[in-house]
Amino acid sequence: MTEFEMGGPSNGRLTPLLRWLGLTMVVILVLQMVALLVGVDWSDETTKPQIVGPLVALSPLGLMGLLIALIGSRVDVPERRLTPLRLVVCAISSLLALAMIVAVPFSLGADAADGPAAERLEQGRQAIKDARSFRENPKEVEQLGEQLAQAGQLASDASAEDKKRAAETMIDTQIAQMDDQIEKLESQQSRSGRQRVIGGTASAVVLAISFTLLALAAVL
């Protein structure tokens, strides 16, 4: 018995499984995307729907499914260049490649400064600005010193200069703390931006190329 004869029945059982396995993975991708789109509140104009990240994260599942289905088709009928399944693989791959191309500018345009983090950052910067303005106003500093004395935080016989120094020290300490918080928020946003570029933009470009190659492989 030849090697081809031994492998023939096995291939005949394996190729339908490959096709259905691949198509099942594509169906899972479609269901996950539908669930994602259904869960988005499109009427809420205050927040941008986050669909680019999940789309990029789910797309490799579709890529593997389409590739497995195409391999099954190639093994099953290698002599035929075009089959309905290969046309389906080409069409879906082309759509997903287009989706990845569209996702690139969305990912690049997504501003990590949007949302609660940006609001906190802007509020922190404004608070620092107000505190420094307060620090440069002698009358405000004098009033704060009097308040500290009345609150018992200074000695009862504290001089006007002592009150002024205490008020200035308190303001400087608060400004230093706010500066530290702003630096942490800016560092966090910088890391988020790098993650978005690597995990979103770069991945979308690679996936767009992969789906394009897969679409070509399905019909060539």
Side-chain angles (χ1 to χ4, degrees):
M1 181 177 293
T2 66
E3 182 179 353
F4 176 78
E5 290 172 340
M6 292 176 63
S10 177
N11 288 340
R13 293 191 297 269
L14 179 61
T15 52
L17 291 177
L18 288 176
R19 292 198 300 268
W20 282 111
L21 175 61
L23 292 176
T24 299
M25 295 173 70
V26 175
V27 170
I28 293 174
L29 169 65
V30 173
L31 292 176
Q32 291 292 324
M33 289 307 303
V34 170
L36 173 66
L37 295 175
V38 169
V40 173
D41 186 4
W42 299 100
S43 62
D44 186 3
E45 298 180 355
T46 60
T47 58
K48 296 179 180 179
Q50 300 298 321
I51 60 176
V52 174
L55 174 63
V56 173
L58 290 170
S59 292
L61 176 65
L63 179 65
M64 291 302 300
L66 293 170
L67 180 59
I68 291 173
L70 179 60
I71 291 174
S73 176
R74 290 289 189 186
V75 172
D76 191 21
V77 281
E79 69 282 355
R80 294 180 59 185
R81 187 170 66 88
L82 293 178
T83 64
L85 178 58
R86 293 177 196 175
L87 292 175
V88 169
V89 171
C90 179
I92 297 177
S93 298
S94 299
L95 288 175
L96 289 174
L98 181 61
M100 291 299 103
I101 293 173
V102 173
V104 170
F106 271 101
S107 179
L108 289 173
D111 189 356
D114 289 341
E119 292 179 1
R120 290 196 301 270
L121 187 58
E122 184 61 29
Q123 290 172 357
R125 288 170 177 164
Q126 184 61 43
I128 292 177
K129 183 179 178 181
D130 294 341
R132 286 174 177 163
S133 177
F134 186 95
R135 174 69 169 77
E136 295 172 358
N137 190 326
K139 291 184 179 180
E140 296 287 355
V141 173
E142 182 180 350
Q143 290 179 0
L144 178 60
E146 293 294 339
Q147 292 173 2
L148 292 175
Q150 293 174 5
Q153 298 185 25
L154 297 176
S156 57
D157 59 346
S159 65
E161 187 63 26
D162 292 335
K163 296 176 183 177
K164 178 183 177 182
R165 282 198 299 268
E168 290 175 345
T169 300
M170 173 178 284
I171 299 171
D172 291 339
T173 301
Q174 292 178 346
I175 290 176
Q177 292 175 347
M178 288 188 288
D179 275 332
D180 184 59
Q181 292 176 352
I182 290 296
E183 289 179 0
K184 290 181 179 179
L185 283 174
E186 289 176 342
S187 176
Q188 180 181 358
Q189 286 199 333
S190 179
R191 290 194 301 269
S192 298
R194 291 194 296 270
Q195 289 177 342
R196 189 173 64 255
V197 170
I198 296 173
T201 305
S203 298
V205 171
V206 173
L207 285 168
I209 295 173
S210 300
F211 280 119
T212 301
L213 293 175
L214 184 60
L216 293 175
V219 295
L220 293 181

